[in-house]
Amino acid sequence: MKEKNKIYRLMELEYSGSQSKEQQEELDCWRKESTEHETEYQEVRKVYSYSQRLQAMKKIDTSKDLALLKSRMGKTSAIRKLYSGFQRVAAVLVVPLLLASIWIFMGQPKFNQEIIKSTETAFGVRSQIQLSDGTKVWLNSGSQLFYPEEFSGKKREVKLVGEAYFQVQSDKSHPFYVEVGNYAVKATGTSFNISNYPDDLEMTTFLESGKVDLIAIEGGKEMSYGKLSQGQKIVADKSGDKVTFYTEANSKKHLGWIDGKLLFHKDSIGDVARRLGHWFNAEIIIDDESLNDYFFTATFTNESLEEALRLLKFSSPIEYQIINNKQLDDSSFAKRKVIIRKGRK
């Protein structure tokens, strides 16, 4: 039982993007041990998917919507048919949604037992929300933010998976914490960007204005890695304690996505592949290590993945192959896969 609980904990860390390299390897090994393990892993992932649907359903006022539909249609028989159909759908969903409710209760962050909400953006979509304290948050493609319905206590705490830009409402007596795996970014009133996608090996924080502190919490005590000043960024290794400070950073590169722009400035092919993958929900594989010698500067706005790859091909000796995605058992689609290799002379 202890072993199974440990595996479930590893799955939870993977889903939230908080896993270390060693934890990911341990989970991958467990999945490869048997087909039963892989089946169980996929079922748990479905529960996570159901949990997101449940969160969305909680926001729907079905009685109000049915009344509006009735007034527009003026046909009670149609309403009865619709309601009957809804009951049948509800009967099918009740079991998985009940499992999802249990998973939400046990697995999601509680932040001192406050009522926790979550906002998620699909790939290719950006969104903006305002928290109860007035803090504004922009979420990038494929990102998720967990936050309390109302902040209470001495801290304002949220949890980020993916990328977000924060404009924190000033309140020095109640510091603002963004949990990102093994680290947390601490602020009082400032604006900054955090990139923390699950498949990234590093977490990056760029400070636009004010000051922030990168910390780790050990034994209930905060351990500071250092403070950032305006225009600086910090890159933290997820698998260890390696933290690198950069005194000068390109603000347009880190904040351009807010305005729908994907900017590269003297970036390696690996960085380009990683960020294009997040932007277009694709797995991009570099199949030739010699391409690491090439660096790219470009700006993309409304281009498709195919158009972006075509433009990169014009400026460098690369070839690419796009493998179309397939529909999965839960009706969602797997990521498209792109293989990039060095072009022929």
Side-chain angles (χ1 to χ4, degrees), residues 209-226:
S209 64
K211 292 185 178 180
V212 297
D213 193 1
L214 181 67
I215 65 172
I217 300 177
E218 296 182 357
K221 296 182 179 180
E222 294 182 4
M223 182 183 72
S224 175
Y225 287 96

Side-chain angles (χ1 to χ4, degrees), residues 121-168:
T121 55
F123 285 94
V125 177
R126 298 176 303 280
S127 65
Q128 180 187 352
I129 60 173
Q130 181 167 309
L131 306 183
S132 62
D133 66 336
T135 293
K136 296 179 180 179
V137 185
W138 285 255
L139 285 173
N140 200 356
S141 168
S143 301
Q144 186 172 20
L145 185 73
F146 297 92
Y147 54 96
E149 189 172 46
E150 295 287 340
F151 288 110
S152 63
K154 298 180 179 179
K155 300 179 180 179
R156 296 174 288 167
E157 297 176 285
V158 300
K159 180 176 181 179
L160 172 67
V161 180
E163 185 169 17
Y165 169 72
F166 295 84
Q167 286 185 348
V168 177

Side-chain angles (χ1 to χ4, degrees), residues 114-337:
E114 297 165 326
I115 298 175
I116 301 305
K117 301 174 69 175
S118 69
T119 296
E120 184 174 10
T121 55
F123 285 94
V125 177
R126 298 176 303 280
S127 65
Q128 180 187 352
I129 60 173
Q130 181 167 309
L131 306 183
S132 62
D133 66 336
T135 293
K136 296 179 180 179
V137 185
W138 285 255
L139 285 173
N140 200 356
S141 168
S143 301
Q144 186 172 20
L145 185 73
F146 297 92
Y147 54 96
E149 189 172 46
E150 295 287 340
F151 288 110
S152 63
K154 298 180 179 179
K155 300 179 180 179
R156 296 174 288 167
E157 297 176 285
V158 300
K159 180 176 181 179
L160 172 67
V161 180
E163 185 169 17
Y165 169 72
F166 295 84
Q167 286 185 348
V168 177
Q169 184 70 24
S170 180
D171 186 352
K172 294 184 178 180
S173 60
H174 298 86
F176 191 91
Y177 291 78
V178 183
E179 180 187 336
V180 278
N182 299 324
Y183 303 96
V185 176
K186 178 181 178 182
T188 52
T190 183
S191 56
F192 55 93
N193 189 82
I194 298 177
S195 181
N196 179 49
Y197 284 96
D199 55 348
D200 287 348
L201 300 178
E202 300 172 329
M203 183 278 297
T204 301
T205 299
F206 169 77
L207 180 63
E208 183 184 33
S209 64
K211 292 185 178 180
V212 297
D213 193 1
L214 181 67
I215 65 172
I217 300 177
E218 296 182 357
K221 296 182 179 180
E222 294 182 4
M223 182 183 72
S224 175
Y225 287 96
K227 297 181 184 295
L228 280 178
S229 297
Q230 183 174 332
Q232 297 180 343
K233 75 173 181 178
I234 188 170
V235 178
D237 185 353
K238 290 185 180 182
S239 62
D241 294 329
K242 183 181 178 181
V243 174
T244 306
F245 284 82
Y246 295 87
T247 56
E248 295 183 5
N250 188 326
S251 62
K252 293 182 179 179
K253 172 181 171 180
H254 293 285
L255 304 179
W257 66 266
I258 300 172
D259 298 318
K261 297 178 180 179
L262 186 60
L263 289 89
F264 299 102
H265 181 69
K266 298 180 181 180
D267 288 320
S268 68
I269 186 67
D271 287 337
V272 171
R274 177 179 58 81
R275 294 179 61 203
L276 283 176
H278 296 156
W279 194 262
F280 294 107
N281 190 28
E283 179 185 2
I284 302 180
I285 301 171
I286 308 301
D287 199 31
D288 193 326
E289 293 184 359
S290 66
L291 290 175
N292 294 327
D293 297 331
Y294 292 89
F295 295 86
F296 299 84
T297 297
T299 300
F300 300 116
T301 49
N302 299 318
E303 288 83 0
S304 65
L305 174 59
E306 292 81 357
E307 290 170 333
L309 291 170
R310 194 178 302 121
L311 289 171
L312 291 176
K313 183 178 179 180
F314 287 151
S315 62
S316 58
I318 67 168
E319 292 182 351
Y320 60 87
Q321 176 187 2
I322 300 177
I323 302 174
N324 291 328
N325 50 353
K326 296 181 179 179
Q327 189 169 11
L328 304 177
D329 293 338
D330 63 355
S331 298
S332 63
F333 285 87
K335 288 184 176 182
R336 283 182 293 177
K337 182 178 291 187

